[in-house]
Amino acid sequence: MTDDKEKGMFSASDIVTDRNTSATDFPRVEELPLPKDFAWGTATAAYQVEGGAFQDDKGASIWDTYSHLEPSRTNEENADVACDHYNRVEEDVKLMASLGVDVYRFSVSWSRIIPLGGRNDTVNEKGIAFYSNLIDQLLAHGIEPVVTLYHWDVPQALYDRYRAFLNTKEFQADFENYARLCFTRFGDRVQKWVTFNEPYIISIFAHLNGTLAPGHCREAGTDTKTEPWRVGHTIILSHAVVVQMYMNEFHSLQKGQISIVLNGHFYEPYDSENPLDRDAAERRLIFYIGWFGDPVFLGGDYPPVMRAYLGSRLPEFTPEELQLLAHTAPMNAFYGMNHYSTKYARALSDPPAEDDWTGNIEELPTNSNGEEVGPVTGVAWLRVAPNGFRKLLNWVWNRYHLPVIVTENGCPCPGEAVVSTAVKDVLRQRYIGLYLDAISRAIYEDGVPVHGYYVWSLMDNYGKLFLQAMECPG
């Protein structure tokens, strides 16, 4: 049986509310060097910070709907206001400038600029003006905008029309239209684009566990055996189509870069002497990261181990789609990595559930000797394990040979609901310092080209809810 956190089932005990872990439990930060041109950034997501949920003709997204369901699935919380970034953008940009930030990675709310989302639907010029102003404000303060097109918030109208990602043909056409609008209106000032943030989370947590919007698996008639893999298939092909469109239509003038952001833990074997557990650790990485990374960055089919395990549950690429992937793979300019923690992987001997998505692997915070993977932070699953981070940087580089940008990393502190505790965040400082040291070692000792680090997040945001309820805070 897999970790309950991976299944999306949680209780209050999962939240660390006191300082039972202190910074003295951590290794010492060495403050190792990083390249002079290393990009220091921060990141947010539109729904989690913008607020203005229904302001200036913005349409509803699946999160606007999900966070208002009764009974509540989000602890009676919503992001109608959140950090009010929509109305305080100038103040927030000045805050970034005061911190010496080089890069701000933000996402565009699809339903803010096309309220109903579709390729034949009306464009909202007020939404366009907001993002145009944000980009101008950033550039005026010497901050590079890095724009994510999709960070979990598909327009509700598209979900109502055809269930969004579950209809590959329709979604692909609407996403391509939306992306073209963004490239047309903002591309003269944006040099880095991300198509999708964390497709694993979109596929599993939104369409299998039902932990996140739209909570699809809770609806009658859903099929958790096949639908999450169909969602992933749609994301891969939609990414490829948009990459091809950008390179064919915009790159010659705009000279920008484009790629995707994948999240993933690193996995160590539960029993390092057991070959089954060693295989389980590698297999879990492939099911988590290789699922998307191999077709997108290697330009071919899904990993053979996934094909063998999932059989007909995993969609087939047509010859034309494989050709598209082979053509677009070299166009991905960087590997966007969201990473937070490391786990132990143990191979299970009992038969898996019919809708198992892990490769029949259990994830644990301790190994066969009872050793913890690292000190706990503000949530039980997020352990401080910088050595695992370094190993993951190497794993990604050795597999895909693309420069890495760490597009999200960070941690919550125990008890930080208390303002004084949140402000004196020694634990978070130690965590970030250790992970930056791991990047330095990966660069200078292992030869991994890591070009930047964007801390999650710029400000305390609605995303804390996700930290409390799932495997990944981004």
Side-chain angles (χ1 to χ4, degrees):
M1 190 169 184
T2 53
D3 187 335
D4 283 349
K5 312 302 182 302
E6 186 72 66
K7 289 191 168 185
M9 298 181 290
F10 303 87
S11 66
S13 63
D14 297 319
I15 314 304
V16 181
T17 56
D18 57 25
R19 283 195 170 270
N20 56 3
T21 299
S22 72
T24 59
D25 298 323
F26 293 13
R28 183 174 61 88
V29 177
E30 297 184 49
E31 297 186 359
L32 299 175
L34 288 163
K36 290 184 178 180
D37 59 352
F38 193 79
W40 298 95
T42 187
T44 63
Y47 182 73
Q48 296 171 348
V49 299
E50 282 183 4
F54 306 102
Q55 191 173 336
D56 291 339
D57 302 322
K58 177 186 172 293
S61 75
I62 53 173
W63 267 104
D64 292 310
T65 300
Y66 189 77
S67 63
H68 287 87
L69 293 176
E70 295 293 343
S72 177
R73 300 181 187 177
T74 55
N75 300 330
E76 306 295 336
E77 297 181 12
N78 60 63
D80 290 0
V81 177
C83 303
D84 201 25
H85 183 60
Y86 186 74
N87 295 299
R88 304 176 68 169
V89 65
E90 293 184 13
E91 175 185 341
D92 291 341
V93 172
K94 289 178 181 177
L95 172 63
M96 283 183 259
S98 74
L99 297 172
V101 168
D102 298 322
V103 173
Y104 178 43
R105 177 188 168 225
F106 65 92
S107 73
V108 174
S109 168
W110 187 343
S111 60
R112 192 177 293 284
I113 67 171
I114 310 176
L116 298 180
R119 52 198 180 275
N120 297 315
D121 292 322
T122 302
V123 171
N124 178 20
E125 292 297 337
K126 296 175 184 176
I128 295 286
F130 167 73
Y131 293 110
S132 187
N133 177 58
L134 169 58
I135 292 167
D136 287 344
Q137 291 286 328
L138 291 168
L139 293 173
H141 287 83
I143 300 170
E144 177 187 4
V146 174
V147 180
T148 301
L149 294 173
Y150 186 84
H151 199 130
W152 304 354
D153 53 352
V154 73
Q156 181 65 39
L158 299 188
Y159 187 73
D160 292 341
R161 287 176 192 172
Y162 54 80
R163 290 297 181 259
F165 294 99
L166 290 168
N167 188 321
T168 301
K169 182 179 179 181
E170 289 295 317
F171 181 89
Q172 184 175 293
D174 284 337
F175 185 68
E176 184 178 5
N177 173 74
Y178 160 62
R180 180 177 282 106
L181 176 64
C182 290
F183 298 151
T184 300
R185 298 299 190 93
F186 313 131
D188 58 329
R189 291 158 291 163
V190 174
Q191 289 295 293
K192 284 191 180 68
W193 295 94
V194 171
T195 53
F196 293 95
N197 180 77
E198 300 182 346
Y200 179 93
I201 301 299
I202 301 167
S203 304
I204 298 300
F205 284 90
H207 290 86
L208 191 149
N209 292 335
T211 309
L212 302 182
H216 178 78
C217 72
R218 303 189 188 195
E219 300 177 7
T222 58
D223 178 8
T224 56
K225 288 176 60 178
T226 63
E227 288 180 341
W229 311 105
R230 168 55 59 187
V231 169
H233 201 71
T234 298
I235 292 170
I236 290 166
L237 293 174
S238 299
H239 165 82
V241 164
V242 165
V243 167
Q244 179 174 253
M245 179 261 288
Y246 179 78
M247 298 303 290
N248 288 347
E249 300 180 23
F250 295 93
H251 182 263
S252 62
L253 288 177
Q254 297 179 359
K255 308 298 185 185
Q257 299 179 324
I258 190 166
S259 195
I260 195 169
V261 162
L262 305 183
N263 66 304
H265 308 302
F266 186 73
Y267 292 91
E268 300 278 11
Y270 174 75
D271 180 353
S272 61
E273 300 299 317
N274 185 340
L276 293 177
D277 288 345
R278 292 198 300 268
D279 176 72
E282 179 68 13
R283 190 164 73 251
R284 192 69 191 98
L285 282 167
I286 292 171
F287 269 67
Y288 211 130
I289 297 172
W291 174 8
F292 300 96
D294 282 18
V296 166
F297 298 124
L298 300 181
D301 198 4
Y302 293 109
V305 66
M306 293 185 69
R307 265 292 165 221
Y309 184 80
L310 295 168
S312 62
R313 293 171 60 192
L314 197 60
E316 297 279 353
F317 291 113
T318 67
E320 293 76 18
E321 289 167 347
L322 287 171
Q323 186 176 14
L324 170 68
L325 292 171
H327 178 66
T328 56
M331 299 176 182
N332 294 283
F334 57 90
Y335 181 100
M337 177 188 287
N338 289 2
H339 172 79
Y340 294 92
S341 196
T342 295
K343 293 187 174 188
Y344 290 110
R346 180 168 68 179
L348 296 174
S349 56
D350 293 337
E354 287 188 350
D355 63 355
D356 175 64
W357 69 97
T358 67
N360 206 25
I361 294 166
E362 182 179 21
E363 301 183 359
L364 298 163
T366 56
N367 64 14
S368 59
N369 296 321
E371 299 165 335
E372 293 190 338
V373 75
V376 70
T377 61
V379 286
W381 64 265
L382 204 167
R383 303 301 184 104
V384 184
N387 289 337
F389 180 39
R390 178 181 177 182
K391 291 178 181 179
L392 183 62
L393 289 167
N394 276 270
W395 190 89
V396 164
W397 168 244
N398 290 332
R399 194 173 186 92
Y400 301 124
H401 298 287
L402 281 172
V404 177
I405 299 174
V406 180
T407 40
E408 288 184 24
N409 178 251
C411 78
C413 295
E416 67 178 7
V418 178
V419 173
S420 60
T421 301
V423 171
K424 191 176 181 180
D425 59 350
V426 177
L427 186 149
R428 181 183 289 109
Q429 294 176 45
R430 187 69 61 88
Y431 171 99
I432 291 174
L434 290 169
Y435 277 62
L436 290 173
D437 281 351
I439 292 175
S440 178
R441 292 189 175 96
I443 293 172
Y444 292 113
E445 297 178 29
D446 306 332
V448 181
V450 185
H451 289 181
Y453 176 89
Y454 309 163
V455 70
W456 184 268
S457 169
L458 172 64
M459 59 191 96
D460 191 13
N461 61 42
Y462 185 73
K464 185 177 289 187
L465 175 70
F466 307 137
L467 270 170
Q468 297 171 350
M470 59 176 292
E471 285 274 328
C472 177

